[in-house]
Amino acid sequence: MAKSQNIKSLDAIIVGAGFAGIYMLHKLRKLGLLAKIVDAASGVGGTWFWNRYPGARCDVESMFYSYSFDEDLEQEWEWTERYPAQPEILKYINHVTDRFNLRNDIELETSVKSTVYDENNSKWIITTSGDINFSARFCIMATGCLSAANIPDFQGLKNFKGRVFHTGKWPHKNVNFSNRRVGVIGTGSSGVQIIPEIAKQAAHLTIFQRTASYVAEAFNRPLDESEQAKTKKNYSEIRAAAKKTFGGFTNVANDQSAMDLSLEACREKLEEGWQAGGNSLMVAFNDIADNENSNMRAQDFVRDKIRQAVPDLELANKLSPEHLIGCKRLCLGTNYYETYNRDNVTLISLGKEGVEGLNADGVIVQGSIFEIDDLVMATGFDAMTGALSKIPIYGKNNVSLNDSWAAGPRTYLGLMTYGFPNLFIVTGPGSPSVLTNMLPTIEQHVEWIAECIEYMDEHNIRVIEPYLKSQDDWVKHGNEIASKTLRYSCSSWYLGANVPGKPRVFMPFIGGMPAYREKCSAVVAMGYEGFKLSKNTE
Ligand code: N01
């Protein structure tokens, strides 16, 4: 517990200086609240601060991976590429931080040691690694969905004598791979981006692949002024239309089943989707994600693309995924499959057993040692709950969030959880979050939370907490929808399947953005239906 002399009293504390935390601080300031952000990093940016590995880039188009809350900001910022690279995103979030003069309320290099609810005073006590601890009526967790690195417990890892990196915790200096033998474990979105970059530099690159990925060509390119001007002219209309789509993306699904066309006509449409770049392939039809037969047509189409990119049939087969497409998040790449044609690149298929371990010299797979100088783990994240579970959070009756969520996360709307009054989560489990374009999704949550706090103050309400029943009903509803989808059937991080021992629960809400937004608005319209609101006098 914090020492009382060091406690600074605030209206709200925000944990995390990523896109969610930065906008939350801005909104609360506008309400006249005393709020601060704390973040362990030495700069703002959240995931984009840490994921600075070579090739790191967002798979949502830059013009829409940006805030919409301020028209001037929207109009003045110039993006340089269709898909923004990490340095440009970091520059953007720094620009926003300065433009709205937020920096003096951000405590960097300060990690949260514990967050404890003081029931008598209805306040959260936040103990930090810094000199100051905080007490605040509201605690807002803007800790991100993909921010806690998943570092597998490889046997013998500590004996490995070379350099070890994780893509999600990349060093802040240039890492030179020239003349080095490098091993990469992991072929998800991060691996797909870093592999072609390391291959260009390293003496030799060995990739250890447990599951092959579907990788759509990004077709990244520079953005010219006229294209930007055209989008900027219609920004609000385009963004409004995107909010009506399942994932809040700008490309609207073709309203047709892949099974309605002949195979030849279907493949023509898939080719159009492929050439449009990014996730356009997935929306070439309206049922690739839902109908097994349509999905199979899209799978076959990508497997053919792999065979075209990689002439060595055995190698192409090893790179060809067998699972449903879109079940794990579709990766976006640039020359990913072609990279395997290089003489300095070797692919090792691990099979289900995975990596046996490491010794001083390298990676051991089925008894063979693959000697390397550097190991890069592109092994992903303890998604959606990892960042929260690392902070000891104690709510009512001193119950910890980890205990409450021992069988999987439970929230009402992904925004709050029973037993943890006045603690909000931005894009928490139980909200659409990672299944959508994160920027509009973050904005919707931040605005909902700010509006809720404003309502509470206007109505003399001290505390908000979801009823257990509303939370149970929401979790049940989410599970019912998820269990009928194809995505439920594969071992993805959406289900926590990538982290040994993590409960298998489909964490994001998969009912789509429009239905979710409607529900959130209806809850507000009904006077925060499903939440217990307690007055100051109670
Ligand atoms: O992580 P992942 P990621 N032994 O979990 C393998 C976002 N993102 O960092 O599939 C051997 O997808 C694992 O194998 P398997 C995006 O939402 C976005 O790549 O579990 N291998 C897999 O191949 C994305 O979905 C962008 O069998 C092990 C890989 O490591 C999310 O972040 C860029 C292993 C992990 O893939 C996560 O992506 C980057 C083990 N013990 C990230 N453990 C863009 O915007 C794990 N693996 C483009």
Side-chain angles (χ1 to χ4, degrees):
M1 177 66 75
K3 287 193 197 111
S4 58
Q5 64 266 32
N6 285 337
I7 292 184
K8 183 173 171 56
S9 181
L10 300 169
D11 295 313
I13 187 95
I14 301 159
V15 186
F19 275 92
I22 292 292
Y23 184 35
M24 194 76 246
L25 177 61
H26 176 62
K27 281 301 273 185
L28 295 183
R29 277 234 198 122
K30 285 205 130 192
L31 289 178
L33 265 63
L34 197 56
K36 271 198 188 293
I37 296 180
V38 286
D39 195 305
S42 61
V44 301
T47 194
W48 298 107
F49 176 88
W50 296 107
N51 284 265
R52 47 182 75 214
Y53 57 86
R57 190 179 287 284
C58 184
D59 58 5
V60 178
E61 296 200 27
S62 55
M63 295 210 68
F64 299 98
Y65 195 78
S66 59
Y67 291 118
S68 69
F69 68 82
D70 186 280
E71 211 185 319
D72 292 339
L73 166 69
E74 203 175 53
Q75 291 296 324
E76 79 194 10
W77 183 262
E78 298 282 328
W79 293 100
T80 63
E81 291 178 276
R82 181 181 183 191
Y83 295 102
Q86 175 269 341
E88 191 167 19
I89 303 173
L90 201 58
K91 201 167 147 201
Y92 173 73
I93 186 88
N94 273 284
H95 168 76
V96 174
T97 305
D98 291 329
R99 194 183 193 289
F100 296 100
N101 195 23
L102 300 171
R103 227 170 264 279
N104 56 350
D105 277 327
I106 305 174
E107 302 289 332
L108 295 170
E109 295 182 82
T110 305
S111 46
V112 176
K113 294 284 174 208
S114 68
T115 306
V116 179
Y117 188 61
D118 170 1
E119 264 179 84
N120 293 331
N121 297 302
S122 314
K123 285 203 165 185
W124 285 94
I125 309 295
I126 296 96
T127 312
T128 76
S129 60
D131 296 334
I132 312 169
N133 299 311
F134 299 96
S135 96
R137 190 169 148 221
F138 298 104
C139 180
I140 300 161
M141 292 296 177
T143 39
C145 298
L146 294 158
S147 46
N150 170 39
I151 300 182
D153 188 15
F154 292 122
Q155 207 184 356
L157 179 59
K158 63 178 185 318
N159 301 330
F160 175 60
K161 64 176 190 249
R163 299 183 296 180
V164 178
F165 305 95
H166 188 284
T167 46
K169 285 183 154 189
W170 202 258
H172 285 222
K173 55 179 192 328
N174 186 29
V175 178
N176 191 350
F177 290 112
S178 309
N179 303 318
R180 314 274 300 176
R181 295 164 304 169
V182 184
V184 173
I185 301 180
T187 50
S189 298
S190 305
V192 160
Q193 290 185 329
I194 201 171
I195 285 165
E197 296 303 316
I198 298 179
K200 286 180 207 160
Q201 252 192 42
H204 198 88
L205 172 62
T206 308
I207 295 122
F208 300 93
Q209 171 190 274
R210 189 165 67 181
T211 310
S213 286
Y214 291 102
V215 183
E217 191 63 30
F219 294 109
N220 187 36
R221 55 179 163 73
L223 271 185
D224 66 35
E225 248 177 64
S226 65
E227 191 178 356
Q228 293 207 53
K230 202 170 144 204
T231 300
K232 283 181 181 178
K233 213 168 148 200
N234 301 302
Y235 237 147
S236 52
E237 290 82 359
I238 303 172
R239 290 198 199 265
K243 282 178 192 163
K244 292 189 181 135
T245 69
F246 179 89
F249 295 106
T250 47
N251 44 8
V252 178
N254 171 20
D255 197 18
Q256 197 174 24
S257 163
M259 301 312 292
D260 284 349
L261 300 181
S262 68
L263 188 55
E264 199 187 342
C266 171
R267 288 178 84 88
E268 272 171 32
K269 276 259 169 273
L270 289 168
E271 182 64 34
E272 274 173 36
W274 178 270
Q275 294 299 334
N279 79 337
S280 303
L281 177 74
M282 288 304 290
V283 293
F285 292 100
N286 63 8
D287 62 351
I288 293 177
D290 306 315
N291 175 327
E292 237 165 305
N293 293 326
S294 298
N295 193 284
M296 182 64 85
R297 285 188 161 189
Q299 289 175 43
D300 287 342
F301 176 83
V302 179
R303 285 191 283 261
D304 281 354
K305 287 282 179 198
I306 298 171
R307 281 190 284 272
Q308 284 161 23
V310 181
D312 176 338
L313 192 57
E314 199 184 325
L315 184 56
N317 285 342
K318 279 193 202 170
L319 286 165
S320 296
E322 284 162 11
H323 54 272
L324 297 159
I325 188 168
C327 199
K328 294 180 177 222
R329 188 174 162 120
L330 182 74
C331 301
L332 247 64
T334 300
N335 290 329
Y336 173 69
Y337 294 120
E338 289 80 355
T339 297
Y340 290 86
N341 297 329
R342 296 175 65 113
D343 291 339
N344 69 333
V345 173
T346 306
L347 174 67
I348 303 298
S349 278
L350 296 171
K352 280 205 173 64
E353 305 76 38
V355 167
E356 205 175 301
L358 281 101
N359 67 10
D361 300 320
V363 179
I364 310 166
V365 179
Q366 291 160 16
S368 302
I369 297 169
F370 294 86
E371 289 188 7
I372 53 170
D373 303 309
D374 296 325
L375 173 68
V376 173
M377 285 190 264
T379 44
F381 302 91
D382 181 354
M384 305 212 64
T385 55
L388 290 168
S389 72
K390 283 189 169 40
I391 306 171
I393 302 173
Y394 288 89
K396 286 196 323 197
N397 305 315
N398 218 24
V399 172
S400 78
L401 187 67
N402 283 337
D403 284 346
S404 275
W405 287 7
R410 301 186 73 78
T411 68
Y412 181 37
L413 303 174
L415 278 160
M416 297 196 84
T417 189
Y418 171 76
F420 297 81
N422 287 8
L423 182 128
F424 295 97
I425 308 166
V426 185
T427 65
S431 72
S433 60
V434 291
L435 298 176
T436 66
N437 178 2
M438 286 304 286
L439 261 287
T441 295
I442 283 170
E443 286 189 321
Q444 187 242 344
H445 263 197
V446 167
E447 285 159 16
W448 193 97
I449 294 165
E451 197 187 323
C452 173
I453 290 175
E454 191 177 19
Y455 176 92
M456 288 171 73
D457 284 346
E458 280 170 6
H459 294 80
N460 198 26
I461 291 160
R462 175 94 194 140
V463 176
I464 181 166
E465 182 190 355
Y467 287 108
L468 183 58
K469 174 154 181 4
S470 37
Q471 176 169 293
D472 286 347
D473 289 350
W474 182 249
V475 171
K476 189 166 168 248
H477 176 57
N479 287 343
E480 273 167 10
I481 301 176
S483 63
K484 292 182 193 125
T485 66
L486 295 184
R487 276 206 180 100
Y488 200 64
S489 64
C490 71
S491 300
S492 68
W493 57 257
Y494 297 129
L495 275 154
N498 61 329
V499 177
K502 191 165 172 171
R504 287 223 178 185
V505 175
F506 197 86
M507 293 180 286
F509 175 73
I510 194 172
M513 268 311 272
Y516 178 77
R517 280 177 174 269
E518 220 172 274
K519 170 73 182 173
C520 288
S521 302
V523 162
V524 174
M526 300 291 283
Y528 291 89
E529 188 183 42
F531 288 99
K532 183 179 178 197
L533 304 174
S534 310
K535 294 249 174 194
N536 270 328
T537 47
E538 283 167 29

